[in-house]
Amino acid sequence: MPYRAAFRCIAGCPGEISIWQPIYQCPRCGGLLQVVHDVDALRARGAADWKRCFDERYAHAAKPNGSGVWSKKEWVCPELRDENLVTMNEGATSLLRVERYGRAIGVEDVWVKQCGLSHTGSFKDLGMTVLVSVVKQMIGDGARVRAVACASTGDTSASLAAYAAAAGIPAVVILPRGRVTPAQLVQPLANGARVLALDTDFDGCMTIVRRLAQEDGVYLANSMNSLRIEGQKTLSIEIVQQFGWEVPDLVVIPGGNLGNVSALGAGFDLMLDLGLIVKRPRIVVAQAAAANPLYRAYRNQWRFEPVAARTTIASAIQIGNPVSVEKAIRTLQRYDGIVEQATERELADAAARADRAGLFTCPHTGVALAALEKLAARGDVGKTARVVVISTANGLKFADFKVAYHTGRLPDVDARHANAPVELPNDYDAVRRAIDGVTEGHA
Ligand SMILES: Cc1ncc(COP(=O)(O)O)c(C=O)c1O
Ligand SMILES: [Zn+2]
């Protein structure tokens, strides 16, 4: 049976729109679109059959199954022709049990989904492979696309630039000047994108790129384009698959523009619809206190107001007017959702505590961990609950933050787990004295 997918308005306006058109909002009400699948066609195969099929394909090297996204192609973008696949074997990232960290915070069964171990070092690759592949097929079928473009807090631009370069499609990325790390800035430069650093914040960049998409023939690659969500939703499918098709009790995810939490929910929704799972996890979105519009809405009966985001070390989620807020609220309402926030100190200490147990966490993962620690401390998560924390980016992109933390140079953060290097003369006795006490706390 042929599988198919189309855009539909999230607010329920009638009609479907082809995903092969450059369209990002409902033409009737202006709301966001979502991709819907022909669920009856997918259901005809049976849940056990899908599980077997996905397990057989998982992380096989041959294209497209080396990709965690394209090994689930029928659920993602079934009408994409294989010659248009632009993949870097994204996804299929490890799901790691962090026992020492779990013990330290009083929750025994904590796992970290390592999305930062993907091609460009963040979860953005999961969605970008879908979007760029679709654009490649559109161009092949005669559409005129000048370039693909995004506003970005760093990771989206890295991902877009890499996939566009692999496909041979021009890319434009618009960044808030001075607010992305050097490691993030150099990624799109290296991949040959036109990089525009604007004197504004992320929300200002977003306004400009939306206008470019409307008036100037560029194709919008931000997560308001729900093709991205289709790839990102494989995140929850992959987690459940890695647990042998068991659903965890709680998933904690950092939120900025709020596309990723919507994607997480969409993956669980489809598994429920197709009978692969029968229960829902609880979902927790974690925000930086400096950029917390969803947290405020949660505390105010889901009444949302944009805020001016203040500077945070978690720079990729320094977003005051999240594009996908409506989708995110709907998701949280279905998943018994909680929103928690973390101060700069809390996120930095949580990241460092997890690093002490062997991880190397980015500050956004620190926000998620700090939220989990707060939930654990007030008893909102049981001691034996199975918890998955989504680590969204590779800590190596944020090395400056780590160095500043460990050398006591983070403003407003009195680093509890700082571990500064010890500088010594070339002297054996000095070295011996310096390693005294090194075994403390490691029994
Ligand atoms: C590292 C990292 N973590 C979290 C997020 C938040 O994801 P979303 O904007 O989909 O909420 C982003 C992107 O914005 C990111 O780059
Ligand atoms: Zn509509």
Side-chain angles (χ1 to χ4, degrees):
M1 190 181 288
Y3 304 115
R4 51 181 295 280
F7 287 135
R8 200 180 284 162
C9 169
I10 62 163
C13 296
E16 290 186 348
I17 302 168
S18 162
I19 63 165
W20 308 100
Q21 281 187 44
I23 187 159
Y24 322 103
Q25 281 166 289
C26 171
R28 287 193 189 215
C29 75
L32 289 190
L33 300 170
Q34 62 187 336
V35 175
V36 289
H37 290 262
D38 182 346
V39 173
D40 288 335
L42 291 169
R43 206 177 275 132
R45 187 152 180 183
D49 220 6
W50 280 120
K51 289 180 187 173
R52 197 173 324 114
C53 163
F54 291 159
D55 284 344
E56 276 168 13
R57 290 177 185 172
Y58 194 77
H60 272 237
K63 190 175 173 181
N65 291 339
S67 161
V69 174
W70 295 111
S71 58
K72 300 179 173 67
K73 181 178 171 202
E74 297 91 334
W75 289 26
V76 171
C77 191
E79 292 144 300
L80 187 84
R81 297 190 297 276
D82 280 355
E83 75 262 23
N84 294 318
L85 263 172
V86 186
T87 177
M88 307 277 199
N89 284 0
E90 51 288 318
T93 51
S94 65
L95 178 59
L96 206 64
R97 182 144 185 222
V98 282
E99 290 174 42
R100 287 191 65 226
Y101 175 78
R103 274 202 298 278
I105 68 163
V107 186
E108 286 161 19
D109 203 12
V110 183
W111 300 69
V112 174
K113 179 64 172 163
Q114 293 274 60
C115 297
L117 302 183
S118 191
H119 181 68
T120 69
S122 84
F123 73 91
K124 306 283 184 181
D125 294 344
L126 299 174
M128 213 51 90
T129 183
V130 177
L131 183 139
V132 174
S133 298
V134 166
V135 173
K136 187 170 176 207
Q137 184 151 316
M138 285 166 59
I139 293 172
D141 290 347
R144 238 186 65 76
V145 175
R146 271 176 74 187
V148 284
C150 70
S152 174
T153 51
D155 294 317
T156 303
S157 60
S159 189
L160 178 63
Y163 284 82
I169 298 170
V172 175
V173 309
I174 303 185
L175 303 167
R177 183 142 75 106
R179 300 188 201 200
V180 305
T181 71
Q184 288 175 308
L185 176 64
V186 81
Q187 290 183 287
L189 292 175
N191 289 134
R194 178 66 56 90
V195 178
L196 310 176
L198 263 56
D199 277 327
T200 179
D201 57 7
F202 170 80
D203 299 299
C205 295
M206 194 66 223
T207 304
I208 296 219
V209 80
R210 285 171 80 156
R211 188 161 165 200
L212 282 176
Q214 226 161 40
E215 299 177 12
D216 279 281
V218 307
Y219 187 87
L220 184 70
N222 279 96
S223 60
M224 71 178 287
N225 182 331
S226 56
L227 291 173
R228 292 257 314 274
I229 305 300
E230 285 311 283
Q232 287 174 213
K233 84 178 184 210
T234 60
L235 170 59
S236 38
I237 305 167
E238 205 168 283
I239 290 169
V240 171
Q241 182 176 13
Q242 285 171 307
F243 283 134
W245 302 102
E246 300 258 324
V247 179
D249 298 308
L250 190 82
V251 183
V252 189
I253 186 166
N257 224 4
L258 304 177
N260 211 22
V261 60
S262 317
L264 189 75
F268 285 117
D269 287 345
L270 192 52
M271 286 187 284
L272 284 161
D273 272 355
L274 297 177
L276 276 78
I277 59 173
V278 291
K279 76 162 205 181
R280 293 172 200 268
R282 192 164 201 194
I283 294 181
V284 180
V285 172
Q287 292 209 295
N292 63 354
L294 188 71
Y295 176 75
R296 287 165 185 251
Y298 172 69
R299 302 303 297 252
N300 192 21
Q301 286 87 44
W302 293 121
R303 274 197 290 278
F304 173 77
E305 296 240 358
V307 301
R310 287 175 286 120
T311 302
T312 166
I313 313 162
S315 50
I317 55 174
Q318 190 179 324
I319 296 173
N321 192 12
V323 168
S324 295
V325 66
E326 267 184 61
K327 280 188 184 177
I329 291 175
R330 283 163 199 253
T331 301
L332 289 170
Q333 286 172 335
R334 283 198 308 282
Y335 285 83
D336 196 13
I338 299 177
V339 187
E340 191 43 87
Q341 63 175 359
T343 64
E344 300 299 286
R345 181 193 168 152
E346 287 165 343
L347 76 89
D349 277 338
R353 181 182 282 134
D355 289 359
R356 283 293 180 95
L359 293 177
F360 194 73
T361 47
C362 78
H364 322 86
T365 307
V367 172
L369 293 167
L372 172 60
E373 291 177 18
K374 288 181 159 178
L375 261 65
R378 64 173 186 247
D380 275 354
V381 50
K383 235 177 131 42
T384 56
R386 172 165 282 181
V387 179
V388 177
V389 175
I390 309 298
S391 174
T392 44
N394 195 313
L396 290 169
K397 291 199 198 197
F398 300 88
D400 325 20
F401 147 66
K402 301 276 189 203
V403 173
Y405 180 89
H406 287 291
T407 53
R409 284 188 288 107
L410 273 188
D412 308 324
V413 173
D414 157 33
R416 281 176 59 197
H417 308 284
N419 186 26
V422 181
E423 293 180 357
L424 294 175
N426 181 11
D427 177 72
Y428 184 77
D429 286 334
V431 171
R432 272 189 55 200
R433 278 194 301 277
I435 67 170
D436 274 352
V438 88
T439 52
E440 275 165 29
H442 284 268

